[in-house]
Amino acid sequence: MIELFNVSVKIDNRPVLNDISLQITKGEFVYLIGKTGAGKTTLMRLIYMDLFPAKGNVIVDRYSSSTIRRKEIPFLRRRVGVVFQDFKLLPDRTVFDNVAFALQVIGAPKRTIRARALSALSRVGLNHKRYQMPHHLSGGEQQRAAIARALVNEPFILLADEPTGNLDPQVSTEILALLESINRSGTAVLMATHNYGLIRQFPHRTLLVENGKITAGEAP
Amino acid sequence: MKLLFLLKEGFAGFRRARLAVTITLATITLALALLGLFGLVAQNLSDSFQRVFYQIRLEVFVDPSLGESDFQTLKSEIEGIEAVQSAEYISPRAALQEFEKDFGKDLVAVLESNPLPPSFRVMLKTGRSRPEAIQAVVRRIEALKAVDEVVYPENLIRLLDKYFLLGIVIAAGLGAAIFIISTLLIFNTIRLAIHSRQRVIEIMRLVGATDAFIKAPFIFEGVLQGMIGGLLAAGLLWLAGDLVRYLFLPGLAVPWLYLAGLVITGILLGFIGSYLSVGKYLNT
């Protein structure tokens, strides 16, 4: 369901990924490791088509990077959830509104929005804080809210770009346990991380991004 | 639901970014007020010039030996000229009365007879004509039989015309500059206001909102700001106009069309500014 064929990417004329091929199957959990700037984020941007390869092809669900039209990209993104290290929550809205926002902006009916936002918040264990503003939450809770927002559209894959980068070890473990539970319910997870301890604690297929190539890796 | 959400988001934008919205509104209001002020000054100056032109009369002196019916024929002939609005017959007696009224002297007592010839006072159709056009009319009247002389303030007309043209050139240049500056100012303020909310746009893109859905609340907000700014500017000008009329210039005109034009300009600039600005973030 996600396939990369001989993909090369240049950013500002600098080669970042060079002739890589990769497959992530339905419901898989995959770690991406590698130094900062190695191309982990680039790989994720290719998947939600925020970036297009200079060469090769990226297939995500039924969309192909070589044929997708600009106006189809939003529909692809509704099938892909993304969370970041810095959460990217809207500071002037409550947790509930942040999650509901992802449904409002795709024009979902009001009743659906409420039901699905509450369900997503329950999944991440944040229902009781739904009317709080993001700055009243801890880092771990903010990341949970971001995960709820990413899940609310029921994506087939969740891309997590260093989701524990700003969190302490205990909270990081909780977030990973949450991602695992999401994965067990059928959503694939691709997670970029530097936290090798977590990989050892929750082992899954691990890919190393290095020198523009992707190889099977393992936590050092 | 969608429309409701878009309207709600548009209005909520006002509440969420109070400072940015206040600055944008103040900028739009002042820029439009400046534009409107310039337009009003230009319009009123132009009106004053036109009034002077409108008051210009050609004095057509005719042969005193003509009979009553000849005057009627001549009047018809003069009024038959395309650019002539009307020709009023002034008998020597009426001319004398006017003279005495203006100068307070009993002319007949001094000269023992009325020296003033019969004449026509000719009013031209257009409020303002080029000196050449007036001259052409004068020549046509002079060519009529029984017309002795046509007197009119030729030098004044040339002077006014020269300064009127110069005024138009300066006003057009200044007006264009003020319009460009106002437009850039408004665009830039809207761009900054939208820039301050690029995270919202980023998240909307990330969760799969279509371009149209992302643009709509920002454009709605831009139009609303433009409209409110236009209304405030129109209100300011109206009040200022009232004050100036009361204090210095009773004849000052503040046409409603101008005020409506300001509101429409505000709406258009708000629309274009927000459309371009939000579009920029969608294309990155």
Side-chain angles (χ1 to χ4, degrees):
Chain A
M1 65 179 190
I2 289 179
E3 284 180 289
L4 279 74
F5 297 102
N6 309 106
V7 167
S8 298
V9 178
K10 283 182 180 177
I11 294 177
D12 297 331
N13 262 335
R14 188 179 67 89
V16 180
L17 296 174
N18 189 17
D19 197 28
I20 60 162
S21 294
L22 169 71
Q23 194 176 29
I24 297 171
T25 54
K26 195 165 183 264
E28 208 179 350
F29 196 125
V30 180
Y31 289 116
L32 271 183
I33 57 170
K35 287 179 187 159
T36 301
K40 303 187 292 296
T41 301
T42 301
L43 183 66
M44 294 201 170
R45 288 177 66 196
L46 283 172
I47 293 171
Y48 64 91
M49 298 205 187
D50 189 39
L51 192 69
F52 287 85
K55 271 190 211 154
N57 194 15
V58 181
I59 308 279
V60 181
D61 200 13
R62 58 192 173 86
Y63 299 99
S64 158
S65 65
S66 55
T67 57
I68 193 167
R69 285 177 295 168
R70 187 188 155 92
K71 63 178 181 186
E72 289 177 318
I73 295 175
F75 298 94
L76 156 78
R77 292 190 183 157
R78 294 175 194 184
R79 307 276 298 128
V80 178
V82 192
V83 290
F84 298 93
Q85 182 175 352
D86 61 353
F87 323 131
K88 293 195 194 300
L89 295 171
L90 297 172
D92 52 4
R93 292 165 206 246
T94 63
V95 169
F96 177 85
D97 286 343
N98 263 282
V99 177
F101 186 68
L103 290 167
Q104 285 165 335
V105 298
I106 62 169
K110 200 172 180 178
R111 197 176 297 172
T112 312
I113 293 173
R114 183 162 175 80
R116 277 167 63 178
L118 289 176
S119 156
L121 284 166
S122 291
R123 276 180 86 180
V124 302
L126 217 55
N127 228 335
H128 61 297
K129 299 219 167 168
R130 63 184 182 273
Y131 296 126
Q132 301 227 4
M133 301 304 272
H135 61 270
H136 288 135
L137 303 184
S138 68
E141 287 168 335
Q142 289 191 45
Q143 191 58 287
R144 281 170 188 273
I147 292 171
R149 183 180 62 195
L151 287 180
V152 79
N153 268 324
E154 293 165 8
F156 71 87
I157 187 164
L158 182 65
L159 306 176
D161 195 355
E162 301 195 26
T164 60
N166 279 343
L167 306 176
D168 62 48
Q170 169 65 29
V171 176
S172 296
T173 306
E174 287 169 18
I175 290 293
L176 214 81
L178 174 63
L179 292 178
E180 279 223 317
S181 87
I182 289 163
N183 178 243
R184 276 197 299 277
S185 66
T187 308
V189 176
L190 176 65
M191 172 173 157
T193 185
H194 290 293
N195 191 333
Y196 303 126
L198 280 179
I199 300 177
R200 282 191 288 272
Q201 200 178 342
F202 301 89
H204 292 288
R205 179 182 164 205
T206 303
L207 299 171
L208 171 68
V209 186
E210 197 174 41
N211 301 326
K213 295 285 184 190
I214 291 189
T215 51
E218 77 184 46
Chain B
M1 163 61 207
K2 285 179 194 174
L3 184 68
L4 197 71
F5 171 72
L6 295 178
L7 294 181
K8 228 170 90 183
E9 273 299 300
F11 280 118
F14 269 52
R15 192 165 33 83
R16 292 203 180 95
R18 276 192 209 105
L19 182 66
V21 168
T22 309
I23 291 170
T24 312
L25 269 183
T27 308
I28 293 177
T29 303
L30 291 178
L32 288 176
L34 184 69
L35 196 63
L37 183 69
F38 173 78
L40 274 184
V41 170
Q43 173 72 47
N44 276 280
L45 279 178
S46 158
D47 283 353
S48 306
F49 260 95
Q50 299 223 25
R51 264 198 295 279
V52 174
F53 271 101
Y54 200 68
Q55 283 162 0
I56 287 170
R57 303 281 186 270
L58 310 183
E59 299 286 344
V60 179
F61 295 104
V62 297
D63 183 354
S65 64
L66 292 180
E68 188 66 30
S69 63
D70 297 324
F71 287 129
Q72 276 309 318
T73 317
L74 192 55
K75 179 176 158 70
S76 311
E77 280 177 344
I78 294 173
E79 284 182 339
I81 296 171
E82 211 177 287
V84 171
Q85 169 78 31
S86 65
E88 184 195 355
Y89 173 63
I90 311 286
S91 67
R93 193 181 164 77
L96 184 68
Q97 279 171 351
E98 268 185 31
F99 181 89
E100 286 175 354
K101 200 174 135 200
D102 290 346
F103 298 101
K105 293 230 166 88
D106 188 351
L107 207 56
V108 180
V110 179
L111 297 175
E112 293 176 348
S113 70
N114 180 1
L116 299 172
S119 66
F120 283 96
R121 188 162 296 153
V122 174
M123 211 171 106
L124 297 177
K125 245 180 203 158
T126 46
R128 195 191 82 84
S129 294
R130 302 299 314 277
E132 293 74 20
I134 296 175
Q135 215 168 31
V137 177
V138 168
R139 270 200 292 271
R140 282 190 66 182
I141 296 173
E142 277 174 341
L144 295 172
K145 225 166 82 178
V147 169
D148 280 347
E149 194 187 4
V150 179
V151 174
Y152 72 105
E154 190 180 354
N155 287 337
L156 176 70
I157 289 171
R158 287 199 183 281
L159 201 70
L160 285 179
D161 185 68
K162 187 176 147 193
Y163 285 111
F164 190 79
L165 283 182
L166 188 70
I168 286 178
V169 171
I170 293 174
L174 211 59
I178 291 178
F179 183 75
I180 290 169
I181 291 168
S182 305
T183 305
L184 291 179
L185 200 63
I186 290 173
F187 280 10
N188 197 44
T189 317
I190 291 177
R191 196 175 64 84
L192 287 177
I194 290 181
H195 179 79
S196 71
R197 285 159 61 199
Q198 59 178 319
R199 167 156 282 200
V200 178
I201 297 175
E202 185 190 352
I203 290 166
M204 286 174 110
R205 293 181 68 189
L206 203 64
V207 297
T210 57
D211 285 0
F213 217 94
I214 298 172
K215 277 180 186 170
F218 287 97
I219 290 174
F220 173 67
E221 207 180 308
V223 166
L224 206 59
Q225 285 174 339
M227 189 176 74
I228 295 173
L231 284 170
L232 289 174
L236 273 180
L237 276 192
W238 186 73
L239 280 178
D242 237 20
L243 195 69
V244 171
R245 220 182 349 250
Y246 178 71
L247 292 178
F248 321 105
L249 291 170
L252 181 82
V254 184
W256 282 106
L257 205 63
Y258 260 96
L259 303 183
L262 279 186
V263 180
I264 292 168
T265 308
I267 290 173
L268 280 178
L269 291 182
F271 174 80
I272 299 169
S274 52
Y275 184 88
L276 294 179
S277 301
V278 73
K280 204 177 78 107
Y281 289 101
L282 293 179
N283 293 326
T284 50

